[in-house]
Amino acid sequence: MQLGARLRRMREESGLSRAEAGEVIRGSASKMSRLELGRHGFKIRDVLDLLTLYGVEDEDERNGFVQLVREAKKPGWWQGHGDIVPGWFEQYLGLEQSAATIRTYEVQYIPGLLQTRDYARAVIGLEHHDAAYGGLERRLALRLRRQEVLHRPTGPTTLWAVIDEAALRRPIGGPRTMRGQVEHLIAVSEDMANVKVQVLPFAAGGHLALGGPITIVRFAEHDLDDVVYLEQLTGARYPEGQEAVRYQKIMDLLGIRAARPARTATFLRDLLGEL
């Protein structure tokens, strides 16, 4: 994504269209779009051809781009789980692990980055009830490892989670599991400065996000745009342009309508008394 963003900026400064740049690398405007958005891997030859087109002749600068291509080709830790991670989700894992900030809304389940071991096992069991036991345990280990982004000694990811009351009242795994999950939400919201949890109560009424979860990933690099991720049952979408802006505005509204963090803590304690 960093490489694509830099090349996009160079193309725009050169006054060239994606179609014109695509011709140089024997591709189309659509391919250039995927490359510039970080949705497709670069070949060193293509990058060098683009740099020539954009007038970059300095060898040190060109070598720096080549090094970026090589870095981008290095597999992430999650890529060793291809047999249990669908391709459409593997891309999101890369975004999540690189994120500076993640904003998420969930209506069905507690967000994966905040799930306890017991709760996560119950959810995975629902989603993959026909999988072998070993597969379930590997999926559980993967989900728990994802949570390490919130605990990195240097630069932990900031998480802002808006959880619909429906997700909190849906009895996943039984009362004991739900008690442990609610206790965990209280603990992380009070003890972790990089985690903010808000509950969107039923009393807030209807809203535009009832159709499903929304996640917005933001990166530390200022030349990278936020990425909107919409997960579905068997795939995912990454809205762009004005559609992405609309989802960002919806997330802003959800944050306004949801209970403030202090009120959320009270809500969770009251809920704990009911379980």
Side-chain angles (χ1 to χ4, degrees), residues 124-194:
I124 293 169
L126 289 171
E127 297 172 341
H128 304 280
H129 60 88
D130 56 346
Y133 179 78
L136 292 175
E137 289 301 303
R138 288 182 64 210
R139 287 183 172 89
L140 175 60
L142 176 71
R143 184 161 302 185
L144 296 178
R145 184 168 180 182
R146 286 170 52 199
Q147 299 178 1
E148 293 179 7
V149 298
L150 302 178
H151 304 277
R152 289 185 297 219
T154 56
T157 298
T158 296
L159 176 65
W160 174 13
V162 177
I163 306 173
D164 199 282
E165 184 175 345
L168 290 162
R169 293 196 177 276
R170 184 168 289 106
I172 303 293
R176 182 176 178 180
T177 295
M178 289 305 300
R179 282 187 60 85
Q181 179 62 70
V182 173
E183 289 171 346
H184 179 65
L185 291 176
I186 294 172
V188 297
S189 61
E190 292 183 345
D191 301 338
M192 297 179 64
N194 61 314

Side-chain angles (χ1 to χ4, degrees), residues 228-250:
V228 178
Y229 171 75
L230 306 178
E231 185 169 323
Q232 300 163 344
L233 185 61
T234 58
R237 287 205 310 118
Y238 295 87
E240 300 174 10
Q242 288 304 307
E243 186 183 9
V245 171
R246 178 171 172 78
Y247 276 102
Q248 290 174 323
K249 290 180 178 178
I250 289 174

Side-chain angles (χ1 to χ4, degrees), residues 251-266:
M251 279 297 300
D252 291 340
L253 290 173
L254 289 172
I256 293 170
R257 297 185 65 181
R260 295 282 145 245
R263 178 68 187 93
T264 288
T266 301

Side-chain angles (χ1 to χ4, degrees), residues 25 30 35 63 101 195-196 209 221 243 252 265 273:
I25 59 172
S30 177
L35 289 170
N63 288 336
T101 302
V195 176
K196 179 166 72 172
E221 294 79 9
E243 186 183 9
D252 291 340

Side-chain angles (χ1 to χ4, degrees), residues 179 268-275:
R179 282 187 60 85
L268 291 173
R269 287 194 172 86
D270 290 344
L271 178 62
L272 197 59
E274 300 175 20
L275 296 174

